[in-house]
Amino acid sequence: MDAEQLYEMLKKTQEPKGYFFSTDRDRVMDLMKALIVNKNRYGYMACPCRLASGDKANDKDIICPCVYRTPDVEEFGSCYCNLYVSQAWNDGEIEKEYVPERRPVEKLFP
């Protein structure tokens, strides 16, 4: 699977849930490529914006879409990576601000 195929597959499954890809197409495609790299490296699509451990059980919270996506998009209009965003974020109706890391420190350094 290449980045464009992954993009189309995820778009079809996530947009009906209210999660859209950022309009920054270059960033989105870089993230798609990184998800594919992580799938090949670890066997699962670990968040490309976080350091995966390679232990699927430890990383289950950051398998894309990560468990932090929903609260991030609800609060900031975007996930940590700026991959998944709300329609309001894409339409410029809300300020694009830094999304802080929600992952607990003990997960960052197991």
Side-chain angles (χ1 to χ4, degrees):
M1 177 177 301
D2 67 18
E4 190 63 42
Q5 291 169 319
L6 180 59
Y7 173 90
E8 290 301 326
M9 181 187 76
L10 293 175
K11 182 177 178 178
K12 286 179 189 172
T13 61
Q14 299 306 308
E15 281 190 1
K17 297 175 184 178
Y19 298 101
F20 301 88
F21 287 127
S22 166
T23 55
D24 183 344
R25 178 86 174 171
D26 289 339
R27 176 158 177 78
V28 169
M29 294 315 289
D30 285 346
L31 291 168
M32 291 292 126
K33 291 172 189 168
L35 284 169
I36 293 167
V37 166
N38 284 348
K39 171 79 172 160
N40 292 335
R41 181 180 293 153
Y42 303 118
Y44 51 94
M45 290 194 305
C47 173
C49 300
R50 294 178 166 104
L51 184 60
S53 69
D55 176 350
K56 189 173 183 178
N58 184 67
D59 293 340
K60 69 181 179 180
D61 62 321
I62 61 166
I63 295 174
C64 189
C66 73
V67 301
Y68 311 106
R69 176 186 70 172
T70 297
D72 285 351
V73 173
E74 286 175 358
E75 185 173 348
F76 299 100
S78 171
C79 73
Y80 182 67
C81 295
N82 302 132
L83 175 62
Y84 288 108
V85 300
S86 67
Q87 189 65 54
W89 196 88
N90 266 344
D91 292 345
E93 296 171 6
I94 58 174
E95 184 179 340
K96 293 178 175 136
E97 56 184 292
Y98 172 76
V99 178
E101 174 64 272
R102 290 182 191 266
R103 195 170 197 218
V105 173
E106 59 272 11
K107 290 284 225 168
L108 298 173
F109 307 102

